Amino acid sequence: MTPALRRAARKVAGGLLALLLPPCAAGAEIAGRVELPRQLNAPVKTQNYEPVASGGALAPVKPAAVVYLEGEFPPANPAPTVQLVQKGQAFIPALLPIQVGTKVEFPNYDDLYHNVFSFSPPKRFDLGRYRTEDRPVPSQVFDKLGLVTLRCEIHSHMRGQILVLGTPHFVTTDEHGNFRLTGLPAGRFVVKAWLDAATTHARPVELGPDTVLRVDFP
Amino acid sequence: MRWVRVVISCLAAGAAATAWASDAWFDRLEERLAVSAWDDAVRARLSGILSLEGYAISQPPPGLVFTRSNRLFNPRLALFLNGQAGPRLFGFVQARVDRGFDPATERLRLRLDEYAVTFVPRAGTALSVQVGQFASVIGNWMARHDSWENPFVTAPLPYEHQTSIYDSEAPLSLDDFVSFDPAEKYEYNPIIWGPSYATGAAVAGKLGRFELALEVKNGGPSSRPELWSIRDLGFDRPAFAARLGFRPDLRWKLGFSASDSAYLAPGAEHLPAGTSWRDFRQRLLGQEVSYAWRHLQVWAEVFQVWFEVPRVGTVRTVAGYIEAKYKFNPRIYGAVRWNRQGFSALSDGAGGRVRWGSSLWRVDVAAGYRFTARLVLKLQASGQREAGQHENLRMNYASQLNLRF
């Protein structure tokens, strides 16, 4: 094959690839702000029957929302693995959006026991007690859509949430409610802002290949 | 058949409660029961456990259960108020509405069981000072004695089995001392009365893998609930206790406890001339070990206790248990506990020996079913065999439905 022919073949292949690639390569963007609920009251450190009490204060959970693009999307391949850690007697992050099929690991970075469990219908599990150095790190694959509330058997104030979504296009807001969704496909979709189990705002959007939209909720 | 009805009733009550209120509803209630102010410097939280407890028992009733009936229903609402001012000052109150501190055939009443202020002198250090009415530092059961943490309905044997010791008067003779009268069951004392919420102060600290706690209170381990309040007694019979703990890693906990206290109640009658109720001591040595990893938890404790009994001399008892709990899945756990207590022998003055208590063993088996994250049903069966008059295996049953909020 001559160099000219090789260049032409590359161009054709590039063009075909561009046609075959999913629309997400287009890179539309939605930015905006979600009005967040007020911060919950800070938890009290309870050590009623601890042999030795320690000082300190537990950090309050900052409110946040998850903004995502609803639509029909293929599952991620391979399924991603993410971590949700236990540190300072809190789940970090307190709100974790994932795409369905994602594996979540739950390392314990505290020098005390936790016992992560969930009774939520999309995923019921109990990881028991384990140390920082225990391997493999206990994990769960979340294969059903919905909200999973995480709790700790030992520290009742600990609460975490995993929002299992059918889309790869999601983001968690910052503590002021600001968000930016990038790399979005072109098409007609509904963009949603999830605040809690009872509150989800929705807005239809039409995205072109390079659309930049601003959407505020509510 | 009666027991089957109890189980069916509990399951029905659990199912009804599950349908009535979801975890999400109680999560929102929990959020409303917490307050904070001054940029979160001051915080408070109200929480509770609602327990519906049922007993199907043979007479005389086992442990710290007081009824002449073979069945007892004991509803209990335990309310906990936790507060915090800054990073070094903590407060805690527990109040209960129930039919007596120990399950009994009484009317429902509100009672203040615990209150404590804990001060941590230096932030970042594991050293604390606690003052108030609170659970003893002895042993490892205190940390898990509430109905949510305890895998069983009842306490381990050392914390509830009543011996021939009684604190309201001195025995007139050895025969008088060893003749346990089931009809007057409440007059007798176990070696440790439940969580022993006596009033006093404790200092506790942690250094590396070691923990040390020292406490001085107004009642020893065997003292009865009526004597725990500072209002009723004051501090004229200080009781001393200590616990040294060692934790090689998160899975293991080892501990040694000791206490020294007067065991007779103030004003105890029939004392030998020239003696005071303060002269007769209860001394306790305890050893404990616990293990927890993944879904398995194991606890074991052994107590050796000496009582100086007027006109009788020093009597000794050894009591202990080993207990294991395993969670089979998020909903179901099983637990088994083997308890044992033995008593020393005394000379009867006629060349013979007499034991001051009936040696016994007891096996407790329990299963728990968790309806939701906040609702659990416990069922317990206990078989007990005593040397002497109750040599037949005595079976007792208990159930408990707990809702935590």
Side-chain angles (χ1 to χ4, degrees), chain B residues 157 316-320 340-344 355-360:
Chain B
L157 194 75
R316 186 173 65 93
T317 178
V318 178
R340 184 97 169 85
Q341 186 159 10
F343 298 85
S344 63
R355 294 202 179 274
W356 68 279
S358 302
S359 300
L360 75 155

Side-chain angles (χ1 to χ4, degrees), chain A residues 15-212:
Chain A
L16 284 173
L17 194 62
L19 285 172
L20 291 172
L21 274 177
C24 63
E29 181 179 314
I30 302 174
R33 187 171 178 278
V34 182
E35 191 174 319
L36 299 176
R38 70 172 183 85
Q39 182 177 299
L40 294 177
N41 288 308
V44 179
K45 192 169 186 175
T46 56
Q47 34 199 356
N48 303 345
Y49 304 114
E50 293 283 329
V52 185
S54 58
L58 300 168
V61 177
K62 302 283 184 193
V66 171
V67 181
Y68 61 95
L69 199 66
E70 194 175 61
E72 293 289 325
F73 300 99
N77 191 16
T81 297
V82 298
Q83 287 200 332
L84 193 152
V85 310
Q86 303 140 69
K87 189 168 171 49
Q89 295 190 33
F91 289 112
I92 301 174
L95 173 59
L96 176 70
I98 58 172
Q99 187 175 6
V100 66
T102 300
K103 178 181 177 183
V104 181
E105 294 179 338
F106 298 92
N108 174 12
Y109 291 146
D110 279 333
D111 59 356
L112 42 79
Y113 264 148
H114 295 295
N115 185 153
V116 183
F117 74 99
S118 161
F119 262 73
S120 300
K123 195 74 184 178
R124 185 177 295 135
F125 64 92
D126 186 324
L127 300 181
R129 291 155 158 83
Y130 51 92
R131 301 167 297 170
T132 306
E133 62 267 34
D134 286 338
R135 292 292 179 274
V137 176
S139 61
Q140 291 287 308
V141 174
F142 291 82
D143 47 12
K144 284 186 187 165
L145 300 176
L147 176 66
V148 177
T149 301
L150 304 174
R151 301 166 197 273
C152 174
E153 179 74 43
I154 301 166
H155 305 98
S156 62
H157 70 272
M158 286 176 65
R159 201 68 46 78
Q161 292 176 311
I162 296 178
L163 187 61
V164 187
L165 300 165
T167 171
H169 304 291
F170 52 77
V171 67
T172 307
T173 64
D174 66 16
E175 61 187 83
H176 305 292
N178 299 311
F179 71 90
R180 184 179 297 274
L181 271 170
T182 58
L184 302 177
R188 289 185 174 182
F189 300 98
V190 174
V191 61
K192 290 191 168 181
W194 182 96
L195 280 88
D196 56 44
T199 316
T200 303
H201 302 302
R203 190 79 54 82
V205 291
E206 185 166 352
L207 301 174
D210 300 312
T211 305
V212 176

